[in-house]
Amino acid sequence: MSKKLVIVTGYFGAPIEEESRKIAEERGFAFLSLDREIEKRDGRSITRLCMMNGEHGYRNQEYEILNELNESPDTDGLVVACGDGVLYDDMSREIAEANELVIVGGDLSDGELWDRAKAQVSSYHAFMAFGSEEEKRVAFEKYLDRQRSLFEKVGGKND
């Protein structure tokens, strides 16, 4: 049996988890939220984990779980919803590129992504916690520019 992971990520504010669930249902695959799995194993929220261990500590946990799933002979037909920054880690990106990679939100305008990002109850992105709305928006747009550059380089199927 061949191993099959579908790694779903996307722009900050994009409906990554919703699209992941939809893909899993359409294909008859299992679904896993990487962030929920990290929280379950670690016992802390993603926000708390980033506050205590920094983004690097969080990215290490993302990689460890992705690697475990990728290496497991029992992993077959699994859709993994990943946070918007998973591809910034070289090792996690290698796993994503070795499997099927879906990038969500490329069809949404910056304004739609911004509205969705603001509506999130919590975010581990520090720039969303401090400053005026205008300052947050400027930081958000700079982050989107970095994401676009990375996603164009990596490729992947865009939904």
Side-chain angles (χ1 to χ4, degrees):
M1 182 180 329
S2 66
K3 187 171 14 189
K4 181 76 171 165
L5 290 176
V6 180
I7 307 294
V8 183
T9 190
Y11 294 92
F12 181 29
I16 296 167
E17 191 162 317
E18 296 92 335
E19 287 298 318
S20 299
R21 288 182 186 280
K22 181 178 160 189
I23 293 167
E25 184 177 320
E26 288 171 353
R27 297 185 187 191
F29 286 5
F31 165 81
L32 177 82
S33 166
L34 188 56
D35 281 353
R36 299 304 74 79
E37 184 66 18
I38 290 169
E39 289 176 336
K40 183 175 109 182
R41 292 183 185 196
D42 187 83
R44 295 177 284 180
S45 70
I46 299 301
T47 302
R48 174 64 65 186
L49 186 120
C50 287
M51 285 173 50
M52 301 299 291
N53 296 28
E55 185 177 354
H56 183 73
Y58 167 62
R59 297 289 173 215
N60 284 344
Q61 288 195 36
E62 279 184 328
Y63 167 73
E64 288 172 13
I65 294 171
L66 282 175
N67 189 53
E68 177 184 308
L69 295 169
N70 190 50
E71 295 294 322
S72 172
D74 298 326
T75 301
D76 186 41
L78 178 64
V79 177
V80 183
C82 300
D84 63 276
V86 70
L87 300 179
Y88 288 110
D89 176 78
D90 292 340
M91 295 183 301
S92 293
R93 187 173 58 248
E94 286 175 11
I95 292 170
E97 291 175 324
N99 288 279
E100 182 178 348
L101 174 61
V102 178
I103 298 171
V104 176
D107 60 334
L108 298 174
S109 71
D110 289 4
E112 290 171 304
L113 290 168
W114 170 243
D115 289 340
R116 290 181 57 85
K118 285 191 311 182
Q120 290 182 3
V121 175
S122 64
S123 171
Y124 59 85
H125 293 295
F127 64 81
M128 292 299 285
F130 304 103
S132 68
E133 184 158 334
E134 182 179 332
E135 291 168 322
K136 291 176 187 176
R137 176 73 188 247
V138 168
F140 173 81
E141 288 174 354
K142 287 180 182 177
Y143 186 67
L144 281 184
D145 287 342
R146 288 192 304 274
Q147 284 189 312
R148 278 191 188 94
S149 176
L150 174 63
F151 293 165
E152 286 172 9
K153 184 174 94 176
V154 171
K157 177 183 169 199
N158 288 292
D159 271 356

